[in-house]
Amino acid sequence: MANADNFKALAEDMANAYTDRVKRIKEVKKETNQLVKDIGEDNKKLKADTQGLIKEFTGESKERAADTAKFLGECKEEDEARAADTAKLLKGFKAEGKERAAAVADLLADYKKERVETAGAWKGLLSTMAATRKEKPSPIAEAAAKAEEKALALAEVVE
């Protein structure tokens, strides 16, 4: 009977081991399914978080793009205003330059006229002095008078 009891105990041990293995396999399957479920939920959460970040970054990018466009628009307006101001200044400078050129031309004309009158008066003075002394004018005075006449004639041609 000892063998029978041993076989009986061995059979019970084998049955219990089988039951324990089946139970443990069920537990492993349950734990695996729970792990798969947890990973799936974590993936959904990560996906949602990632999509939230992408949405946030997209919004920030759009804001930056809008701010940049606004800034560029302001720069363009300022540039156009500066260009308009510069055009006005250039127009003013051109007008002022023409006025100054006309004023300088008037001054030169007055100078030439006064120079001609002065040369004539000088020539008259030389003639008067020569007549008073009853002598010929000095060669230096004659040369100066001729040079002045040439300069006057050239000035009249230039005008």
Side-chain angles (χ1 to χ4, degrees):
M1 268 224 305
N3 277 339
D5 286 336
N6 284 337
F7 278 116
K8 187 177 177 183
L10 182 61
E12 282 179 15
D13 285 345
M14 287 174 67
N16 285 337
Y18 176 78
T19 304
D20 287 345
R21 274 194 313 271
V22 169
K23 183 179 174 184
R24 182 65 189 135
I25 289 172
K26 284 182 182 178
E27 287 174 359
V28 169
K29 282 183 179 180
K30 184 178 177 183
E31 289 172 2
T32 302
N33 286 335
Q34 183 63 40
L35 186 60
V36 168
K37 184 180 175 183
D38 290 346
I39 289 173
E41 287 176 12
D42 286 346
N43 282 343
K44 287 179 184 176
K45 185 179 178 193
L46 286 173
K47 184 178 179 181
D49 289 346
T50 303
Q51 287 175 340
L53 285 173
I54 289 171
K55 186 176 181 179
E56 183 180 328
F57 292 154
T58 302
E60 290 174 1
S61 290
K62 287 179 181 177
E63 284 180 34
R64 278 193 294 277
D67 290 345
T68 301
K70 182 181 176 185
F71 176 72
L72 289 174
E74 291 170 356
C75 289
K76 184 178 178 182
E77 288 175 8
E78 289 176 6
D79 287 347
E80 289 172 355
R82 282 190 199 111
D85 290 345
T86 302
K88 287 178 187 175
L89 285 173
L90 286 175
K91 187 176 180 180
F93 288 154
K94 286 180 182 178
E96 189 175 319
K98 288 179 182 177
E99 290 173 8
R100 286 187 182 177
V104 169
D106 288 345
L107 287 173
L108 288 174
D110 290 345
Y111 169 75
K112 289 176 184 176
K113 181 179 174 186
E114 190 174 312
R115 194 171 119 214
V116 168
E117 290 173 359
T118 303
W122 181 254
K123 191 175 180 183
L125 175 64
L126 290 177
S127 296
T128 303
M129 288 178 71
T132 304
R133 292 184 187 150
K134 296 193 186 211
E135 59 184 55
K136 289 176 154 184
S138 73
I140 295 173
E142 276 186 27
K146 286 182 183 178
E148 189 62 30
E149 286 177 16
K150 286 181 183 178
L152 291 174
L154 182 60
E156 290 175 7
V157 169
V158 172
E159 289 180 351

